[in-house]
Amino acid sequence: MNFEKTSNPVFSDSRLRDLASSFAGTGQMTVAGTATKTLLLFALVVLTGSITWKMFGAGSPALMPVMIVGGIGAFVLALVASFKPDKAYIFGPLYALCEGLLLGSISAMYANEFEGIVSMALLLTIAVSAVVFLCYRVGILRASGTFVKVITYATLGVGVFYLLSLLLGLFGVNLSPMRFGTIGLVIQIAIVGIAALNLVLDFNNVENGVADGVSAQYEWYFAFGLMVTIVWLYLEILRLLAIILSRSRD
């Protein structure tokens, strides 16, 4: 089995090894099939996100309830899809629809503060993902043992940082990078880089899934895992642009 460890919880080492030994579906997984399903999930996120943004703008009293419903729904469905990978063809699209509600609401709030930020963030997410994929395909970025360890620990560090920010926020302490000038900007750029490099680990797991003959029915599962990272990357790019645009006003 060729699967590497990854910081993406969807692609845990034990779960990937279980998939590699499962041949319940017809045919075998392909890179093209996984890419197609990833694009479909991405389209669902953009569709529901756009509808949410137009129907529930930043001034709408329904915006926060929609955000909460989308966030809880996406979280629950992500957990279910993670533990039921053979049913990812059902829970993956449902996750994407709920994620669209959440991202559409968050995007509406940012768009109310910074004109054009959402379009820039979306285009940058697509561009960064494409560049990372091309670098992976030509061998510039490879999921070596050292690379995996560095990105995994860095991702855990980001998780701890966000957890501390959440806990301290309950006591009125704001650790948002936007508040710390140049240092905050550097921190946010680093977080965007970590999110982007997690795609290398995801691409590697997809490639290894194909090499190990994982059943085609799990293409939805690998596509779902990729979407988790892409959504994270979009949110971090959105925050980075907000910091840059806010600094340009000063």
Side-chain angles (χ1 to χ4, degrees), residues 14 16 22 26 32 53 62 74 82 93-94 100 115 127 137 153 159 166 175 196-197 199 206-207 209 211-212 244 247:
S14 60
L16 290 174
S22 175
T26 57
W53 185 6
S82 295
L94 290 176
E115 183 178 357
R137 291 300 295 174
Y153 289 137
L166 178 63
L175 292 181
L197 291 176
L199 287 171
V206 170
E207 193 173 72
D212 285 336
I244 294 173
R247 286 167 61 87

mmCIF file with all atom_site columns, all heavy atoms in Angstrom, residues 14 16 22 26 32 53 62 74 82 93-94 100 115 127 137 153 159 166 175 196-197 199 206-207 209 211-212 244 247:
data_model
loop_
_atom_site.group_PDB
_atom_site.id
_atom_site.type_symbol
_atom_site.label_atom_id
_atom_site.label_alt_id
_atom_site.label_comp_id
_atom_site.label_asym_id
_atom_site.label_entity_id
_atom_site.label_seq_id
_atom_site.pdbx_PDB_ins_code
_atom_site.Cartn_x
_atom_site.Cartn_y
_atom_site.Cartn_z
_atom_site.occupancy
_atom_site.B_iso_or_equiv
_atom_site.pdbx_formal_charge
_atom_site.auth_seq_id
_atom_site.auth_comp_id
_atom_site.auth_asym_id
_atom_site.auth_atom_id
_atom_site.pdbx_PDB_model_num
ATOM 1   N N   . SER A 1 14  ? -5.411  4.914  8.271   1.00 0.00 ? 14  SER A N   1
ATOM 2   C CA  . SER A 1 14  ? -6.122  3.644  8.427   1.00 0.00 ? 14  SER A CA  1
ATOM 3   C C   . SER A 1 14  ? -7.313  3.548  7.488   1.00 0.00 ? 14  SER A C   1
ATOM 4   O O   . SER A 1 14  ? -7.596  2.485  6.933   1.00 0.00 ? 14  SER A O   1
ATOM 5   C CB  . SER A 1 14  ? -6.592  3.483  9.877   1.00 0.00 ? 14  SER A CB  1
ATOM 6   O OG  . SER A 1 14  ? -7.461  4.536  10.248  1.00 0.00 ? 14  SER A OG  1
ATOM 7   N N   . LEU A 1 16  ? -7.686  5.030  4.540   1.00 0.00 ? 16  LEU A N   1
ATOM 8   C CA  . LEU A 1 16  ? -7.229  4.841  3.175   1.00 0.00 ? 16  LEU A CA  1
ATOM 9   C C   . LEU A 1 16  ? -6.788  3.400  2.925   1.00 0.00 ? 16  LEU A C   1
ATOM 10  O O   . LEU A 1 16  ? -7.021  2.842  1.858   1.00 0.00 ? 16  LEU A O   1
ATOM 11  C CB  . LEU A 1 16  ? -6.078  5.805  2.869   1.00 0.00 ? 16  LEU A CB  1
ATOM 12  C CG  . LEU A 1 16  ? -6.471  7.284  2.778   1.00 0.00 ? 16  LEU A CG  1
ATOM 13  C CD1 . LEU A 1 16  ? -5.233  8.143  2.619   1.00 0.00 ? 16  LEU A CD1 1
ATOM 14  C CD2 . LEU A 1 16  ? -7.429  7.525  1.629   1.00 0.00 ? 16  LEU A CD2 1
ATOM 15  N N   . SER A 1 22  ? -10.758 -2.701 -0.515  1.00 0.00 ? 22  SER A N   1
ATOM 16  C CA  . SER A 1 22  ? -12.177 -2.873 -0.819  1.00 0.00 ? 22  SER A CA  1
ATOM 17  C C   . SER A 1 22  ? -12.413 -2.800 -2.322  1.00 0.00 ? 22  SER A C   1
ATOM 18  O O   . SER A 1 22  ? -11.959 -1.875 -2.988  1.00 0.00 ? 22  SER A O   1
ATOM 19  C CB  . SER A 1 22  ? -13.004 -1.795 -0.117  1.00 0.00 ? 22  SER A CB  1
ATOM 20  O OG  . SER A 1 22  ? -14.351 -1.887 -0.503  1.00 0.00 ? 22  SER A OG  1
ATOM 21  N N   . THR A 1 26  ? -17.943 -1.506 -9.032  1.00 0.00 ? 26  THR A N   1
ATOM 22  C CA  . THR A 1 26  ? -17.552 -2.000 -10.351 1.00 0.00 ? 26  THR A CA  1
ATOM 23  C C   . THR A 1 26  ? -16.491 -1.076 -10.923 1.00 0.00 ? 26  THR A C   1
ATOM 24  O O   . THR A 1 26  ? -16.617 0.136  -10.873 1.00 0.00 ? 26  THR A O   1
ATOM 25  C CB  . THR A 1 26  ? -18.769 -2.027 -11.290 1.00 0.00 ? 26  THR A CB  1
ATOM 26  O OG1 . THR A 1 26  ? -19.333 -0.706 -11.349 1.00 0.00 ? 26  THR A OG1 1
ATOM 27  C CG2 . THR A 1 26  ? -19.812 -2.991 -10.773 1.00 0.00 ? 26  THR A CG2 1
ATOM 28  N N   . ALA A 1 32  ? -9.086  10.884 -13.617 1.00 0.00 ? 32  ALA A N   1
ATOM 29  C CA  . ALA A 1 32  ? -10.081 11.661 -14.357 1.00 0.00 ? 32  ALA A CA  1
ATOM 30  C C   . ALA A 1 32  ? -11.452 11.599 -13.680 1.00 0.00 ? 32  ALA A C   1
ATOM 31  O O   . ALA A 1 32  ? -12.156 12.606 -13.573 1.00 0.00 ? 32  ALA A O   1
ATOM 32  C CB  . ALA A 1 32  ? -10.176 11.152 -15.793 1.00 0.00 ? 32  ALA A CB  1
ATOM 33  N N   . TRP A 1 53  ? -25.825 34.079 -1.197  1.00 0.00 ? 53  TRP A N   1
ATOM 34  C CA  . TRP A 1 53  ? -25.321 35.452 -1.205  1.00 0.00 ? 53  TRP A CA  1
ATOM 35  C C   . TRP A 1 53  ? -26.383 36.411 -1.754  1.00 0.00 ? 53  TRP A C   1
ATOM 36  O O   . TRP A 1 53  ? -26.591 37.505 -1.213  1.00 0.00 ? 53  TRP A O   1
ATOM 37  C CB  . TRP A 1 53  ? -24.056 35.491 -2.047  1.00 0.00 ? 53  TRP A CB  1
ATOM 38  C CG  . TRP A 1 53  ? -23.345 36.810 -2.051  1.00 0.00 ? 53  TRP A CG  1
ATOM 39  C CD1 . TRP A 1 53  ? -23.648 37.924 -1.312  1.00 0.00 ? 53  TRP A CD1 1
ATOM 40  C CD2 . TRP A 1 53  ? -22.203 37.159 -2.832  1.00 0.00 ? 53  TRP A CD2 1
ATOM 41  N NE1 . TRP A 1 53  ? -22.770 38.937 -1.585  1.00 0.00 ? 53  TRP A NE1 1
ATOM 42  C CE2 . TRP A 1 53  ? -21.874 38.489 -2.509  1.00 0.00 ? 53  TRP A CE2 1
ATOM 43  C CE3 . TRP A 1 53  ? -21.431 36.469 -3.764  1.00 0.00 ? 53  TRP A CE3 1
ATOM 44  C CZ2 . TRP A 1 53  ? -20.797 39.150 -3.103  1.00 0.00 ? 53  TRP A CZ2 1
ATOM 45  C CZ3 . TRP A 1 53  ? -20.360 37.115 -4.340  1.00 0.00 ? 53  TRP A CZ3 1
ATOM 46  C CH2 . TRP A 1 53  ? -20.045 38.435 -4.016  1.00 0.00 ? 53  TRP A CH2 1
ATOM 47  N N   . ALA A 1 62  ? -31.851 37.045 8.114   1.00 0.00 ? 62  ALA A N   1
ATOM 48  C CA  . ALA A 1 62  ? -31.799 35.581 7.980   1.00 0.00 ? 62  ALA A CA  1
ATOM 49  C C   . ALA A 1 62  ? -30.391 35.077 7.717   1.00 0.00 ? 62  ALA A C   1
ATOM 50  O O   . ALA A 1 62  ? -30.166 33.862 7.691   1.00 0.00 ? 62  ALA A O   1
ATOM 51  C CB  . ALA A 1 62  ? -32.728 35.135 6.838   1.00 0.00 ? 62  ALA A CB  1
ATOM 52  N N   . ALA A 1 74  ? -22.894 21.099 7.262   1.00 0.00 ? 74  ALA A N   1
ATOM 53  C CA  . ALA A 1 74  ? -21.641 20.702 6.616   1.00 0.00 ? 74  ALA A CA  1
ATOM 54  C C   . ALA A 1 74  ? -20.783 19.868 7.561   1.00 0.00 ? 74  ALA A C   1
ATOM 55  O O   . ALA A 1 74  ? -20.186 18.859 7.149   1.00 0.00 ? 74  ALA A O   1
ATOM 56  C CB  . ALA A 1 74  ? -20.874 21.937 6.158   1.00 0.00 ? 74  ALA A CB  1
ATOM 57  N N   . SER A 1 82  ? -17.086 10.837 6.235   1.00 0.00 ? 82  SER A N   1
ATOM 58  C CA  . SER A 1 82  ? -15.774 10.314 6.631   1.00 0.00 ? 82  SER A CA  1
ATOM 59  C C   . SER A 1 82  ? -15.867 8.893  7.156   1.00 0.00 ? 82  SER A C   1
ATOM 60  O O   . SER A 1 82  ? -14.979 8.078  6.928   1.00 0.00 ? 82  SER A O   1
ATOM 61  C CB  . SER A 1 82  ? -15.153 11.217 7.703   1.00 0.00 ? 82  SER A CB  1
ATOM 62  O OG  . SER A 1 82  ? -14.886 12.502 7.179   1.00 0.00 ? 82  SER A OG  1
ATOM 63  N N   . PRO A 1 93  ? -22.176 15.281 -2.045  1.00 0.00 ? 93  PRO A N   1
ATOM 64  C CA  . PRO A 1 93  ? -22.964 16.378 -2.615  1.00 0.00 ? 93  PRO A CA  1
ATOM 65  C C   . PRO A 1 93  ? -23.794 17.127 -1.577  1.00 0.00 ? 93  PRO A C   1
ATOM 66  O O   . PRO A 1 93  ? -23.915 18.358 -1.656  1.00 0.00 ? 93  PRO A O   1
ATOM 67  C CB  . PRO A 1 93  ? -23.871 15.660 -3.629  1.00 0.00 ? 93  PRO A CB  1
ATOM 68  C CG  . PRO A 1 93  ? -23.080 14.457 -4.032  1.00 0.00 ? 93  PRO A CG  1
ATOM 69  C CD  . PRO A 1 93  ? -22.400 14.015 -2.774  1.00 0.00 ? 93  PRO A CD  1
ATOM 70  N N   . LEU A 1 94  ? -24.347 16.414 -0.601  1.00 0.00 ? 94  LEU A N   1
ATOM 71  C CA  . LEU A 1 94  ? -25.113 17.090 0.452   1.00 0.00 ? 94  LEU A CA  1
ATOM 72  C C   . LEU A 1 94  ? -24.199 18.007 1.270   1.00 0.00 ? 94  LEU A C   1
ATOM 73  O O   . LEU A 1 94  ? -24.596 19.125 1.649   1.00 0.00 ? 94  LEU A O   1
ATOM 74  C CB  . LEU A 1 94  ? -25.785 16.057 1.366   1.00 0.00 ? 94  LEU A CB  1
ATOM 75  C CG  . LEU A 1 94  ? -26.932 15.249 0.748   1.00 0.00 ? 94  LEU A CG  1
ATOM 76  C CD1 . LEU A 1 94  ? -27.444 14.205 1.734   1.00 0.00 ? 94  LEU A CD1 1
ATOM 77  C CD2 . LEU A 1 94  ? -28.068 16.177 0.322   1.00 0.00 ? 94  LEU A CD2 1
ATOM 78  N N   . GLY A 1 100 ? -21.989 25.341 0.777   1.00 0.00 ? 100 GLY A N   1
ATOM 79  C CA  . GLY A 1 100 ? -22.335 26.525 -0.013  1.00 0.00 ? 100 GLY A CA  1
ATOM 80  C C   . GLY A 1 100 ? -23.132 27.534 0.795   1.00 0.00 ? 100 GLY A C   1
ATOM 81  O O   . GLY A 1 100 ? -22.934 28.746 0.665   1.00 0.00 ? 100 GLY A O   1
ATOM 82  N N   . GLU A 1 115 ? -15.478 45.505 -1.456  1.00 0.00 ? 115 GLU A N   1
ATOM 83  C CA  . GLU A 1 115 ? -16.070 45.263 -2.773  1.00 0.00 ? 115 GLU A CA  1
ATOM 84  C C   . GLU A 1 115 ? -15.129 44.439 -3.653  1.00 0.00 ? 115 GLU A C   1
ATOM 85  O O   . GLU A 1 115 ? -13.941 44.725 -3.755  1.00 0.00 ? 115 GLU A O   1
ATOM 86  C CB  . GLU A 1 115 ? -16.376 46.599 -3.462  1.00 0.00 ? 115 GLU A CB  1
ATOM 87  C CG  . GLU A 1 115 ? -17.068 46.448 -4.808  1.00 0.00 ? 115 GLU A CG  1
ATOM 88  C CD  . GLU A 1 115 ? -17.412 47.782 -5.445  1.00 0.00 ? 115 GLU A CD  1
ATOM 89  O OE1 . GLU A 1 115 ? -17.162 48.834 -4.814  1.00 0.00 ? 115 GLU A OE1 1
ATOM 90  O OE2 . GLU A 1 115 ? -17.924 47.780 -6.576  1.00 0.00 ? 115 GLU A OE2 1
ATOM 91  N N   . ALA A 1 127 ? -6.785  29.439 -9.029  1.00 0.00 ? 127 ALA A N   1
ATOM 92  C CA  . ALA A 1 127 ? -5.445  29.592 -9.587  1.00 0.00 ? 127 ALA A CA  1
ATOM 93  C C   . ALA A 1 127 ? -4.398  28.883 -8.723  1.00 0.00 ? 127 ALA A C   1
ATOM 94  O O   . ALA A 1 127 ? -3.528  28.169 -9.242  1.00 0.00 ? 127 ALA A O   1
ATOM 95  C CB  . ALA A 1 127 ? -5.106  31.083 -9.697  1.00 0.00 ? 127 ALA A CB  1
ATOM 96  N N   . ARG A 1 137 ? 2.341   17.570 -10.565 1.00 0.00 ? 137 ARG A N   1
ATOM 97  C CA  . ARG A 1 137 ? 2.414   16.696 -11.742 1.00 0.00 ? 137 ARG A CA  1
ATOM 98  C C   . ARG A 1 137 ? 3.807   16.682 -12.368 1.00 0.00 ? 137 ARG A C   1
ATOM 99  O O   . ARG A 1 137 ? 4.258   15.638 -12.848 1.00 0.00 ? 137 ARG A O   1
ATOM 100 C CB  . ARG A 1 137 ? 1.393   17.136 -12.799 1.00 0.00 ? 137 ARG A CB  1
ATOM 101 C CG  . ARG A 1 137 ? -0.050  16.910 -12.404 1.00 0.00 ? 137 ARG A CG  1
ATOM 102 C CD  . ARG A 1 137 ? -0.364  15.461 -12.148 1.00 0.00 ? 137 ARG A CD  1
ATOM 103 N NE  . ARG A 1 137 ? -0.239  14.651 -13.347 1.00 0.00 ? 137 ARG A NE  1
ATOM 104 C CZ  . ARG A 1 137 ? -0.342  13.323 -13.370 1.00 0.00 ? 137 ARG A CZ  1
ATOM 105 N NH1 . ARG A 1 137 ? -0.503  12.661 -12.231 1.00 0.00 ? 137 ARG A NH1 1
ATOM 106 N NH2 . ARG A 1 137 ? -0.255  12.658 -14.507 1.00 0.00 ? 137 ARG A NH2 1
ATOM 107 N N   . TYR A 1 153 ? 2.570   18.729 10.720  1.00 0.00 ? 153 TYR A N   1
ATOM 108 C CA  . TYR A 1 153 ? 2.805   19.455 11.974  1.00 0.00 ? 153 TYR A CA  1
ATOM 109 C C   . TYR A 1 153 ? 2.396   20.922 11.840  1.00 0.00 ? 153 TYR A C   1
ATOM 110 O O   . TYR A 1 153 ? 1.864   21.519 12.791  1.00 0.00 ? 153 TYR A O   1
ATOM 111 C CB  . TYR A 1 153 ? 4.267   19.348 12.396  1.00 0.00 ? 153 TYR A CB  1
ATOM 112 C CG  . TYR A 1 153 ? 4.661   17.972 12.877  1.00 0.00 ? 153 TYR A CG  1
ATOM 113 C CD1 . TYR A 1 153 ? 5.861   17.384 12.486  1.00 0.00 ? 153 TYR A CD1 1
ATOM 114 C CD2 . TYR A 1 153 ? 3.818   17.245 13.718  1.00 0.00 ? 153 TYR A CD2 1
ATOM 115 C CE1 . TYR A 1 153 ? 6.226   16.118 12.920  1.00 0.00 ? 153 TYR A CE1 1
ATOM 116 C CE2 . TYR A 1 153 ? 4.175   15.974 14.162  1.00 0.00 ? 153 TYR A CE2 1
ATOM 117 C CZ  . TYR A 1 153 ? 5.367   15.420 13.757  1.00 0.00 ? 153 TYR A CZ  1
ATOM 118 O OH  . TYR A 1 153 ? 5.717   14.164 14.192  1.00 0.00 ? 153 TYR A OH  1
ATOM 119 N N   . GLY A 1 159 ? -4.270  24.515 13.551  1.00 0.00 ? 159 GLY A N   1
ATOM 120 C CA  . GLY A 1 159 ? -5.455  24.082 14.290  1.00 0.00 ? 159 GLY A CA  1
ATOM 121 C C   . GLY A 1 159 ? -5.405  24.507 15.747  1.00 0.00 ? 159 GLY A C   1
ATOM 122 O O   . GLY A 1 159 ? -6.409  24.979 16.310  1.00 0.00 ? 159 GLY A O   1
ATOM 123 N N   . LEU A 1 166 ? -10.232 30.778 19.527  1.00 0.00 ? 166 LEU A N   1
ATOM 124 C CA  . LEU A 1 166 ? -11.639 30.600 19.882  1.00 0.00 ? 166 LEU A CA  1
ATOM 125 C C   . LEU A 1 166 ? -11.839 30.662 21.390  1.00 0.00 ? 166 LEU A C   1
ATOM 126 O O   . LEU A 1 166 ? -12.747 31.349 21.887  1.00 0.00 ? 166 LEU A O   1
ATOM 127 C CB  . LEU A 1 166 ? -12.143 29.258 19.342  1.00 0.00 ? 166 LEU A CB  1
ATOM 128 C CG  . LEU A 1 166 ? -13.599 28.890 19.663  1.00 0.00 ? 166 LEU A CG  1
ATOM 129 C CD1 . LEU A 1 166 ? -14.549 29.902 19.030  1.00 0.00 ? 166 LEU A CD1 1
ATOM 130 C CD2 . LEU A 1 166 ? -13.914 27.481 19.159  1.00 0.00 ? 166 LEU A CD2 1
ATOM 131 N N   . LEU A 1 175 ? -7.355  37.408 18.697  1.00 0.00 ? 175 LEU A N   1
ATOM 132 C CA  . LEU A 1 175 ? -6.072  37.033 18.098  1.00 0.00 ? 175 LEU A CA  1
ATOM 133 C C   . LEU A 1 175 ? -6.118  37.034 16.567  1.00 0.00 ? 175 LEU A C   1
ATOM 134 O O   . LEU A 1 175 ? -5.272  36.406 15.927  1.00 0.00 ? 175 LEU A O   1
ATOM 135 C CB  . LEU A 1 175 ? -5.639  35.651 18.595  1.00 0.00 ? 175 LEU A CB  1
ATOM 136 C CG  . LEU A 1 175 ? -5.264  35.530 20.079  1.00 0.00 ? 175 LEU A CG  1
ATOM 137 C CD1 . LEU A 1 175 ? -4.833  34.106 20.394  1.00 0.00 ? 175 LEU A CD1 1
ATOM 138 C CD2 . LEU A 1 175 ? -4.175  36.512 20.451  1.00 0.00 ? 175 LEU A CD2 1
ATOM 139 N N   . ALA A 1 196 ? -2.577  25.481 1.020   1.00 0.00 ? 196 ALA A N   1
ATOM 140 C CA  . ALA A 1 196 ? -2.320  25.128 -0.377  1.00 0.00 ? 196 ALA A CA  1
ATOM 141 C C   . ALA A 1 196 ? -1.475  23.863 -0.486  1.00 0.00 ? 196 ALA A C   1
ATOM 142 O O   . ALA A 1 196 ? -1.746  22.982 -1.318  1.00 0.00 ? 196 ALA A O   1
ATOM 143 C CB  . ALA A 1 196 ? -1.627  26.289 -1.089  1.00 0.00 ? 196 ALA A CB  1
ATOM 144 N N   . LEU A 1 197 ? -0.462  23.747 0.361   1.00 0.00 ? 197 LEU A N   1
ATOM 145 C CA  . LEU A 1 197 ? 0.433   22.587 0.289   1.00 0.00 ? 197 LEU A CA  1
ATOM 146 C C   . LEU A 1 197 ? -0.241  21.302 0.777   1.00 0.00 ? 197 LEU A C   1
ATOM 147 O O   . LEU A 1 197 ? 0.219   20.202 0.452   1.00 0.00 ? 197 LEU A O   1
ATOM 148 C CB  . LEU A 1 197 ? 1.711   22.860 1.085   1.00 0.00 ? 197 LEU A CB  1
ATOM 149 C CG  . LEU A 1 197 ? 2.621   23.927 0.475   1.00 0.00 ? 197 LEU A CG  1
ATOM 150 C CD1 . LEU A 1 197 ? 3.812   24.205 1.371   1.00 0.00 ? 197 LEU A CD1 1
ATOM 151 C CD2 . LEU A 1 197 ? 3.085   23.515 -0.925  1.00 0.00 ? 197 LEU A CD2 1
ATOM 152 N N   . LEU A 1 199 ? -2.875  20.349 -0.405  1.00 0.00 ? 199 LEU A N   1
ATOM 153 C CA  . LEU A 1 199 ? -3.380  19.769 -1.651  1.00 0.00 ? 199 LEU A CA  1
ATOM 154 C C   . LEU A 1 199 ? -2.399  18.754 -2.229  1.00 0.00 ? 199 LEU A C   1
ATOM 155 O O   . LEU A 1 199 ? -2.813  17.787 -2.873  1.00 0.00 ? 199 LEU A O   1
ATOM 156 C CB  . LEU A 1 199 ? -3.649  20.873 -2.675  1.00 0.00 ? 199 LEU A CB  1
ATOM 157 C CG  . LEU A 1 199 ? -4.872  21.757 -2.424  1.00 0.00 ? 199 LEU A CG  1
ATOM 158 C CD1 . LEU A 1 199 ? -4.893  22.936 -3.392  1.00 0.00 ? 199 LEU A CD1 1
ATOM 159 C CD2 . LEU A 1 199 ? -6.160  20.936 -2.561  1.00 0.00 ? 199 LEU A CD2 1
ATOM 160 N N   . VAL A 1 206 ? -4.823  10.551 -3.926  1.00 0.00 ? 206 VAL A N   1
ATOM 161 C CA  . VAL A 1 206 ? -5.643  10.184 -5.088  1.00 0.00 ? 206 VAL A CA  1
ATOM 162 C C   . VAL A 1 206 ? -4.829  9.319  -6.042  1.00 0.00 ? 206 VAL A C   1
ATOM 163 O O   . VAL A 1 206 ? -5.290  8.271  -6.516  1.00 0.00 ? 206 VAL A O   1
ATOM 164 C CB  . VAL A 1 206 ? -6.154  11.445 -5.823  1.00 0.00 ? 206 VAL A CB  1
ATOM 165 C CG1 . VAL A 1 206 ? -6.795  11.065 -7.162  1.00 0.00 ? 206 VAL A CG1 1
ATOM 166 C CG2 . VAL A 1 206 ? -7.153  12.197 -4.956  1.00 0.00 ? 206 VAL A CG2 1
ATOM 167 N N   . GLU A 1 207 ? -3.608  9.745  -6.326  1.00 0.00 ? 207 GLU A N   1
ATOM 168 C CA  . GLU A 1 207 ? -2.731  9.001  -7.231  1.00 0.00 ? 207 GLU A CA  1
ATOM 169 C C   . GLU A 1 207 ? -2.444  7.596  -6.699  1.00 0.00 ? 207 GLU A C   1
ATOM 170 O O   . GLU A 1 207 ? -2.455  6.613  -7.451  1.00 0.00 ? 207 GLU A O   1
ATOM 171 C CB  . GLU A 1 207 ? -1.427  9.779  -7.417  1.00 0.00 ? 207 GLU A CB  1
ATOM 172 C CG  . GLU A 1 207 ? -0.574  9.294  -8.557  1.00 0.00 ? 207 GLU A CG  1
ATOM 173 C CD  . GLU A 1 207 ? 0.616   10.214 -8.789  1.00 0.00 ? 207 GLU A CD  1
ATOM 174 O OE1 . GLU A 1 207 ? 1.545   10.202 -7.959  1.00 0.00 ? 207 GLU A OE1 1
ATOM 175 O OE2 . GLU A 1 207 ? 0.595   10.955 -9.791  1.00 0.00 ? 207 GLU A OE2 1
ATOM 176 N N   . GLY A 1 209 ? -4.344  5.962  -4.591  1.00 0.00 ? 209 GLY A N   1
ATOM 177 C CA  . GLY A 1 209 ? -5.592  5.209  -4.634  1.00 0.00 ? 209 GLY A CA  1
ATOM 178 C C   . GLY A 1 209 ? -5.794  4.537  -5.976  1.00 0.00 ? 209 GLY A C   1
ATOM 179 O O   . GLY A 1 209 ? -6.225  3.383  -6.063  1.00 0.00 ? 209 GLY A O   1
ATOM 180 N N   . ALA A 1 211 ? -3.306  3.780  -8.069  1.00 0.00 ? 211 ALA A N   1
ATOM 181 C CA  . ALA A 1 211 ? -2.259  2.760  -8.196  1.00 0.00 ? 211 ALA A CA  1
ATOM 182 C C   . ALA A 1 211 ? -2.594  1.492  -7.412  1.00 0.00 ? 211 ALA A C   1
ATOM 183 O O   . ALA A 1 211 ? -2.255  0.384  -7.843  1.00 0.00 ? 211 ALA A O   1
ATOM 184 C CB  . ALA A 1 211 ? -0.927  3.324  -7.716  1.00 0.00 ? 211 ALA A CB  1
ATOM 185 N N   . ASP A 1 212 ? -3.281  1.645  -6.274  1.00 0.00 ? 212 ASP A N   1
ATOM 186 C CA  . ASP A 1 212 ? -3.610  0.491  -5.441  1.00 0.00 ? 212 ASP A CA  1
ATOM 187 C C   . ASP A 1 212 ? -4.940  -0.158 -5.806  1.00 0.00 ? 212 ASP A C   1
ATOM 188 O O   . ASP A 1 212 ? -5.391  -1.074 -5.124  1.00 0.00 ? 212 ASP A O   1
ATOM 189 C CB  . ASP A 1 212 ? -3.633  0.907  -3.966  1.00 0.00 ? 212 ASP A CB  1
ATOM 190 C CG  . ASP A 1 212 ? -2.234  1.110  -3.409  1.00 0.00 ? 212 ASP A CG  1
ATOM 191 O OD1 . ASP A 1 212 ? -1.293  0.519  -3.964  1.00 0.00 ? 212 ASP A OD1 1
ATOM 192 O OD2 . ASP A 1 212 ? -2.077  1.863  -2.439  1.00 0.00 ? 212 ASP A OD2 1
ATOM 193 N N   . ILE A 1 244 ? -5.149  42.565 3.452   1.00 0.00 ? 244 ILE A N   1
ATOM 194 C CA  . ILE A 1 244 ? -4.469  43.422 2.475   1.00 0.00 ? 244 ILE A CA  1
ATOM 195 C C   . ILE A 1 244 ? -5.323  44.640 2.142   1.00 0.00 ? 244 ILE A C   1
ATOM 196 O O   . ILE A 1 244 ? -4.825  45.780 2.098   1.00 0.00 ? 244 ILE A O   1
ATOM 197 C CB  . ILE A 1 244 ? -4.155  42.620 1.203   1.00 0.00 ? 244 ILE A CB  1
ATOM 198 C CG1 . ILE A 1 244 ? -3.127  41.524 1.493   1.00 0.00 ? 244 ILE A CG1 1
ATOM 199 C CG2 . ILE A 1 244 ? -3.632  43.549 0.094   1.00 0.00 ? 244 ILE A CG2 1
ATOM 200 C CD1 . ILE A 1 244 ? -2.877  40.581 0.351   1.00 0.00 ? 244 ILE A CD1 1
ATOM 201 N N   . ARG A 1 247 ? -5.488  47.139 4.992   1.00 0.00 ? 247 ARG A N   1
ATOM 202 C CA  . ARG A 1 247 ? -4.242  47.898 5.113   1.00 0.00 ? 247 ARG A CA  1
ATOM 203 C C   . ARG A 1 247 ? -4.154  48.984 4.034   1.00 0.00 ? 247 ARG A C   1
ATOM 204 O O   . ARG A 1 247 ? -3.581  50.061 4.270   1.00 0.00 ? 247 ARG A O   1
ATOM 205 C CB  . ARG A 1 247 ? -3.039  46.965 4.996   1.00 0.00 ? 247 ARG A CB  1
ATOM 206 C CG  . ARG A 1 247 ? -2.809  46.102 6.233   1.00 0.00 ? 247 ARG A CG  1
ATOM 207 C CD  . ARG A 1 247 ? -1.807  44.994 5.944   1.00 0.00 ? 247 ARG A CD  1
ATOM 208 N NE  . ARG A 1 247 ? -0.511  45.502 5.563   1.00 0.00 ? 247 ARG A NE  1
ATOM 209 C CZ  . ARG A 1 247 ? 0.468   45.825 6.416   1.00 0.00 ? 247 ARG A CZ  1
ATOM 210 N NH1 . ARG A 1 247 ? 0.279   45.692 7.712   1.00 0.00 ? 247 ARG A NH1 1
ATOM 211 N NH2 . ARG A 1 247 ? 1.625   46.282 5.980   1.00 0.00 ? 247 ARG A NH2 1
#
